[in-house]
């Protein structure tokens, strides 16, 4: 069984949104949120009983204080003191407004119940993304013991890198698989279709950006220039395959046979080095030494034409038309 590092990024994002909306912070997983949703009515009834009990205790305590004050007043002042009047006024207020006071104390639970009732409607896409990532993680877990699956990885480069005519500064990867068969950036989609929108890149573009940025990180920051990074989009509930240069699209149940059928191209020592660099899941480029790189290497790193020629050469040598190229092929 593969070694799993990290969890579902979609699940973590949803948990944060729910906490901000008022769901109890004691719920740290989606499973706990669902259990909370089923139990919220019981929690409200329990809290109502508890608040009534606390209110009754306060009334009894105030009444005892008022009785003692009456005794003192009768012995010393022969009339009610201002303190006694305040206590009696407080008791009368609590008795007259008991129900409103209790209901007001339950407002935070009512707000939480409202969020939980709207969970499957307003957070439907987040839930689908979470369940899709769980399905993929269950599949990837079936890989051999020499595989590592690192989930929810963020890669950041402060100075950015030119990519498709734009500056690419960060990428978030659902899963990175590292093993003797290579390094794979996996984008998970549990959608009904794979289409690009104006404000968000398509799954194929996301996978290509992530694989490109990870390749550059391994090459320039980690010094692992011979390691290829491949991009894969896994879909869990659709039959429609997308199209994107250097990205392979497949169903969730196809990923394990695909990886097992590929040839070994990384030794065990390199696998351990890569995992050591990525296991924090918050990857930041070290650009402090870029000024010391040879000029020709820096130019090749940023020259789209040269990268395109490298891609064509790689495809012609490998004979694969649908394999995801490493970073130099997709610059």
């Amino acid at each position: 069984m593969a070694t799993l590092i990290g969890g579902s990024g979609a699940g973590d994002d949803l948990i944060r949104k729910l906490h901000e909306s008022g769901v109890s912070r004691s719920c740290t997983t989606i499973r706990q949120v669902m259990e909370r949703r089923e139990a919220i009515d019981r929690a409200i009834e329990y809290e109502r009983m508890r608040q009534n009990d606390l209110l009754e205790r306060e009334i009894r305590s105030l009444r005892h204080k008022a009785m003692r004050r009456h005794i003192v007043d009768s012995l010393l002042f022969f009339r009610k003191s201002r303190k006694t009047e305040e206590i009696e006024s407080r008791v009368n207020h609590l008795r007259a407004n008991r129900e409103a006071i209790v209901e007001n104390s339950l407002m935070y639970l009512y707000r939480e119940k409202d969020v939980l009732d709207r969970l499957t409607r307003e957070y439907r896409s987040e839930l689908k993304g979470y369940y899709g990532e769980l399905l993929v993680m269950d599949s990837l877990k079936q890989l051999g013991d020499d595989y590592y699956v690192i989930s929810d990885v963020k890669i950041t480069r402060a100075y950015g890198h030119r990519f498709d005519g734009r500056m690419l500064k960060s990428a978030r990867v659902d899963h990175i698989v590292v093993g003797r068969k290579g390094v794979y950036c996996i984008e998970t989609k549990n959608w009904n279709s794979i289409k690009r929108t104006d404000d968000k890149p398509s799954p194929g573009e996301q996978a290509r950006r992530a694989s490109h940025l990870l390749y550059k990180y391994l090459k320039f920051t980690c010094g692992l220039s011979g390691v290829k990074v491949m991009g894969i989009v896994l879909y869990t509930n659709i039959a429609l395959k997308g199209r994107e240069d250097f990205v392979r699209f497949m169903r969730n149940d196809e990923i394990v046979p695909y990886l097992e059928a590929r040839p070994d191209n990384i030794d065990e020592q390199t696998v351990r080095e890569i995992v050591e660099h990525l296991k924090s899941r918050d990857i930041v480029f070290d650009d402090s030494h870029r000024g010391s790189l040879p000029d020709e290497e820096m130019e090749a790193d940023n020259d789209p034409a040269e990268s395109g020629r490298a891609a064509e050469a790689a495809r012609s040598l490998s004979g694969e038309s649908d394999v995801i190229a490493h970073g130099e092929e997709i610059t």
Side-chain angles (χ1 to χ4, degrees):
M1 185 174 67
T3 301
L4 303 182
I5 301 174
S8 168
D12 292 341
D13 290 344
L14 179 54
I15 287 292
R16 282 193 290 270
K17 288 183 180 180
L18 293 174
H19 286 170
E20 292 170 357
S21 300
V23 173
S24 173
R25 292 185 179 273
S26 64
C27 300
T28 58
T29 65
I30 299 299
R31 180 177 180 179
Q32 290 175 344
V33 169
M34 292 303 184
E35 292 173 350
R36 178 74 170 177
R37 182 188 179 193
E38 295 176 358
I40 189 65
D41 289 330
R42 294 194 300 271
I44 290 174
E45 288 304 314
Y46 171 80
E47 187 63 16
R48 179 180 287 111
M49 293 174 58
R50 194 178 75 88
Q51 290 296 330
N52 269 304
D53 184 58
L54 291 174
L55 197 58
E56 186 61 34
R57 290 182 185 181
E58 184 179 358
I59 291 174
R60 287 199 301 266
S61 176
L62 290 171
R63 289 177 60 190
H64 288 314
K65 288 182 181 180
M67 291 176 63
R68 289 196 297 268
R69 296 297 305 184
H70 275 303
I71 294 174
V72 173
D73 291 344
S74 63
L75 292 175
L76 299 179
F77 304 104
F78 303 101
R79 63 183 179 83
K80 290 183 179 180
S81 67
R82 183 175 180 181
K83 183 66 175 178
T84 301
E85 292 177 350
E86 289 177 353
I87 293 175
E88 290 180 347
S89 175
R90 174 65 177 167
V91 170
N92 292 333
H93 171 75
L94 293 179
R95 285 175 172 173
N97 300 280
R98 175 195 294 266
E99 185 175 350
I101 293 171
V102 170
E103 290 301 307
N104 186 62
S105 68
L106 299 176
M107 287 303 298
Y108 76 98
L109 284 174
Y110 288 133
R111 287 193 295 268
E112 182 179 1
K113 175 177 168 56
D114 181 59
V115 174
L116 293 173
D117 286 343
R118 292 184 285 114
L119 178 62
T120 54
R121 300 194 306 271
E122 297 190 6
Y123 296 99
R124 183 178 180 182
S125 61
E126 288 89 344
L127 281 173
K128 291 185 69 175
Y130 166 71
Y131 289 130
E133 289 187 8
L134 287 187
L135 288 172
V136 170
M137 291 175 70
D138 285 342
S139 296
L140 296 176
K141 187 168 59 176
Q142 306 307 315
L143 292 167
D145 297 340
D146 54 342
Y147 281 93
Y148 295 84
V149 180
I150 309 171
S151 301
D152 189 25
V153 180
K154 184 178 181 181
I155 310 172
T156 306
R157 189 174 197 177
Y159 294 103
H161 185 84
R162 188 171 297 280
F163 179 81
D164 283 350
R166 299 180 180 180
M167 293 303 293
L168 176 61
K169 292 188 175 183
S170 66
R172 190 171 180 181
V173 193
D174 290 338
H175 311 284
I176 297 177
V177 176
V178 183
R180 295 286 299 274
K181 308 292 186 179
V183 180
Y184 303 85
C185 283
I186 297 179
E187 182 71 21
T188 300
K189 290 304 170 190
N190 193 23
W191 292 357
N192 293 325
S193 63
I194 298 181
K195 295 181 180 179
R196 179 180 180 178
T197 60
D198 294 336
D199 59 343
K200 188 174 182 180
S202 68
E205 290 172 324
Q206 290 177 280
R208 191 159 68 97
R209 293 179 180 187
S211 61
H212 173 72
L213 203 56
L214 179 58
Y215 170 79
K216 297 300 182 184
Y217 171 77
L218 294 176
K219 179 177 180 179
F220 291 118
T221 297
C222 306
L224 300 172
S225 58
V227 177
K228 294 182 178 181
V229 180
M230 303 183 180
I232 298 177
V233 174
L234 290 184
Y235 48 92
T236 60
N237 68 339
I238 56 177
L240 175 65
K241 292 191 176 183
R243 294 183 60 85
E244 184 72 32
D245 291 341
F246 313 119
V247 176
R248 190 178 188 92
F249 292 76
M250 63 182 72
R251 294 195 312 273
N252 177 47
D253 56 3
E254 296 174 332
I255 182 63
V256 173
Y258 171 77
L259 293 180
E260 291 178 344
R262 294 188 63 82
D264 291 352
N265 56 46
I266 303 179
D267 58 65
E268 293 182 5
Q269 177 61 30
T270 303
V271 169
R272 287 193 292 269
E273 288 182 27
I274 295 172
V275 173
E276 188 65 27
H277 285 295
L278 302 183
K279 67 180 183 180
S280 68
R281 301 189 294 131
D282 189 6
I283 312 304
V284 180
F285 272 76
D286 178 11
D287 287 324
S288 61
H289 64 287
R290 275 190 63 82
S292 63
L293 291 174
D295 291 340
E296 59 272 15
E297 185 173 0
M298 293 182 66
E299 290 175 0
D301 182 33
N302 292 282
D303 184 2
E306 181 64 26
S307 300
R309 289 192 292 271
E312 292 298 329
R315 288 199 301 274
S316 63
L317 289 174
S318 64
E320 296 183 350
S321 59
D322 58 351
V323 71
I324 304 97
H326 58 73
E328 291 179 340
E329 298 173 355
I330 59 176
T331 301

